[in-house]
Amino acid sequence: MLHATRKTLSTVKPSLIHTWTSNTSTPTGPIFPTQQAAAEFLGILDTGFLIAYAIGLYICGILGDNYNPRRLLAFGMMASSICVLCFGYLTETFHVYSPLIYSFLWILNGFIQSVGWPVEVSIMGNWFGHNARGAVMGAWSSCASVGNIIGTLIASYTLFLGYQYSFLIACSLLFIYSFLVFFQLPSAPWEVSSENLPGQMEEEQEEDPDEPTERPPPIGFLKAWLLPGVIAYSLAYACLKLVNYGFFFWLPFYLHAGLHWPESYADSLSTWYDVGGILAAVLAGAFSDHMRSRTPVVFIMLLMATVSLYIYAHSPESYNWNAFLLLVAGFFIGGPANMISSSITADLGKCEQLRGNAEALSTVTGIIDGTGSVGAALGQWFIPSVQHWFGWDAVFYGFIVMILCTALCLCPVLYKEHKDRRHHRSEEVDALLNSDSDENASDDIQEVRRRPTNSNV
């Protein structure tokens, strides 16, 4: 629901540009003299949204580990729905066309919506362990892509009524759903055990004595940065989220203005990118549960993403070809993005160094997603200008460069994991050689050498 309201703006951009540049938008004439000026203002809105979103992620990540996640999430959903209602519906209904008001409302919405992702990852990570986290978090993280599709479909089917009704429906759904979250969502096992299920929790504690029944104390913000892999994945996600949000904010506009397809036609076509992200989140997440580390899966998908982007940049103006190539691009770009922001972040927030003695899930999520949003904000600032001066091909080549930078940021993590695996194998072999071995010792040593060792993300 949060992503559906966020996606609505990018879906109705052509309608907003037409309204803002028409002679009847205000008594004194259009608020923007040209369509390029209006497009650049939309880029500023996207950038402001993401900067506020990034700042809010750092703050809300800490709040999520210190206060009740369910209440924070419900409050953020209600407040965001009010901001979107004012931005998209009330301004058009009462003909209030002011760049200053638009900027204030959308930037405020970005800050408020930042409460969502770190709190949600924290809740999901509290309920699911490492061995099931890839499949479960992968399926769950597709909620962003599903929300994008919902927002796009709402806009494409209501655009003939006026773009303000797209905002109205999306924010109404968000407001209604916030009540369901507040009254029905348990934040963690410790919340359930403290409320109404003491007998059941005692049985679960006997099965899993390491699972705390009370909420552990939160970790410090600076200490969370120093957890293994947090800095590397934060920088990698800054590059990757620039590309992913470039598609998020500008794909419908590109299909309409670049390929000259009708707005509703372009909106429905852009959903194939999100479908690819959904498939990748589920399949890659489940596959990574059978791996000792999720990093190689992400790395290989990033390399494939560069190829898919190059092919899409030269795709023919055909609906079927564009749908297929967008599906492939969404698979290899959206998949790693969903894995980093969900299952990998949850792994980092519950690493062995914490051993259940500190709460870091929400803080680590805020750090990684916040840093990613900083990169995405810078990208939205430059995309309209790069497109204006150099064309859409230059935008896609820039995306390829940023994907390669993402893979480069993960190289130290891959090297460290490989080094740790070799060191761990060597220690196991030495332990077997130094022990009082029996006649099967040599077979045990060969088994250790063949067996992959456990490695933290």
Side-chain angles (χ1 to χ4, degrees):
M1 296 299 108
L2 285 166
H3 261 262
T5 60
R6 196 183 308 176
K7 182 66 174 178
T8 304
L9 175 62
S10 62
T11 308
V12 301
K13 277 181 177 178
S15 295
L16 285 171
I17 291 174
H18 174 75
T19 300
W20 293 345
T21 56
S22 65
N23 292 327
T24 59
S25 59
T26 64
T28 59
I31 60 176
F32 293 106
T34 64
Q35 291 190 354
Q36 177 61 26
E40 290 178 354
F41 176 70
L42 286 169
I44 293 173
L45 284 183
D46 294 337
T47 303
F49 177 96
L50 287 171
I51 291 175
Y53 187 72
I55 296 172
L57 283 168
Y58 292 121
I59 298 173
C60 294
I62 299 173
L63 294 177
D65 284 334
N66 286 271
Y67 298 98
N68 189 294
R70 171 177 53 84
R71 295 173 183 172
L72 282 173
L73 179 58
F75 170 77
M77 295 170 69
M78 292 179 187
S80 176
S81 64
I82 295 172
C83 280
V84 174
L85 177 71
C86 295
F87 176 90
Y89 181 75
L90 296 182
T91 54
E92 174 63 23
T93 302
F94 296 100
H95 304 291
V96 180
Y97 304 111
S98 170
L100 185 62
I101 293 177
Y102 283 128
S103 301
F104 171 77
L105 289 172
W106 200 245
I107 291 173
L108 178 62
N109 183 45
F111 183 83
I112 294 172
Q113 286 209 0
S114 65
V115 75
W117 197 257
V119 169
E120 291 168 14
V121 172
S122 175
I123 293 172
M124 294 294 295
N126 286 334
W127 281 102
F128 299 98
H130 174 80
N131 292 335
R133 200 171 285 151
V136 174
M137 297 290 281
W140 169 80
S141 67
S142 65
C143 64
S145 298
V146 172
N148 295 341
I149 294 175
I150 292 173
T152 301
L153 293 178
I154 289 173
S156 62
Y157 284 104
T158 60
L159 203 56
F160 71 96
L161 299 172
Y163 71 82
Q164 68 270 28
Y165 291 100
S166 302
F167 285 104
L168 176 62
I169 295 174
C171 71
S172 298
L173 291 174
L174 178 63
F175 186 80
I176 293 170
Y177 199 72
S178 66
F179 287 95
L180 183 62
V181 167
F182 184 83
F183 290 107
Q184 295 295 326
L185 177 65
S187 301
W190 54 261
E191 184 178 286
V192 176
S193 64
S194 64
E195 289 179 357
N196 54 10
L197 293 176
Q200 180 178 336
M201 288 306 298
E202 287 177 4
E203 296 176 2
E204 292 180 359
Q205 185 69 10
E206 292 177 0
E207 296 176 1
D208 188 5
D210 294 329
E211 183 70 26
T213 56
E214 295 183 359
R215 189 176 192 181
I219 194 174
F221 181 73
L222 295 179
K223 288 184 179 180
W225 274 99
L226 299 178
L227 292 174
V230 170
I231 293 178
Y233 269 105
S234 296
L235 296 176
Y237 197 49
C239 301
L240 181 58
K241 195 168 185 177
L242 185 154
V243 179
N244 198 38
Y245 265 58
F247 276 91
F248 176 86
F249 282 119
W250 293 101
L251 180 58
F253 183 76
Y254 162 71
L255 295 173
H256 174 72
L259 300 183
H260 310 292
W261 284 334
E263 188 174 357
S264 59
Y265 196 69
D267 291 341
S268 61
L269 179 59
S270 67
T271 59
W272 285 102
Y273 178 84
D274 294 301
V275 172
I278 294 171
L279 294 175
V282 176
L283 297 178
F287 178 76
S288 68
D289 280 336
H290 301 283
M291 304 285 290
R292 298 299 180 181
S293 169
R294 306 188 203 277
T295 308
V297 179
V298 173
F299 190 83
I300 293 173
M301 293 183 73
L302 290 172
L303 297 181
M304 297 300 297
T306 60
V307 178
S308 65
L309 277 173
Y310 180 82
I311 295 175
Y312 182 72
H314 300 84
S315 61
E317 295 184 11
S318 163
Y319 183 94
N320 293 333
W321 270 110
N322 264 268
F324 173 74
L325 294 176
L326 280 174
L327 178 72
V328 174
F331 187 93
F332 290 115
I333 298 172
N338 287 336
M339 286 183 64
I340 292 176
S341 63
S342 59
S343 55
I344 289 176
T345 299
D347 289 341
L348 295 173
K350 284 191 174 289
C351 61
E352 280 189 5
Q353 282 75 4
L354 298 175
R355 298 186 183 278
N357 296 323
E359 184 75 41
L361 262 176
S362 185
T363 303
V364 169
T365 304
I367 289 172
I368 293 178
D369 204 9
T371 307
S373 296
V374 171
L378 295 175
Q380 308 324 304
W381 182 277
F382 289 110
I383 285 175
S385 298
V386 171
Q387 182 274 324
H388 178 69
W389 292 105
F390 303 103
W392 285 106
D393 285 348
V395 174
F396 288 111
Y397 292 144
F399 286 168
I400 292 174
V401 171
M402 297 313 298
I403 292 290
L404 293 175
C405 290
T406 305
L408 186 63
C409 290
L410 296 181
C411 286
V413 180
L414 281 173
Y415 175 76
K416 184 178 183 302
E417 290 176 354
H418 176 69
K419 187 177 178 180
D420 289 345
R421 281 195 296 269
R422 293 186 61 182
H423 178 70
H424 188 73
R425 279 200 186 120
S426 177
E427 285 184 342
E428 286 190 335
V429 171
D430 291 341
L432 287 172
L433 289 173
N434 294 330
S435 64
D436 294 329
S437 58
D438 56 19
E439 58 184 2
N440 295 325
S442 60
D443 295 336
D444 294 338
I445 293 172
Q446 294 300 321
E447 175 63 24
V448 168
R449 286 174 174 164
R450 289 192 298 267
R451 186 176 68 243
T453 58
N454 195 3
S455 175
N456 290 323
V457 178

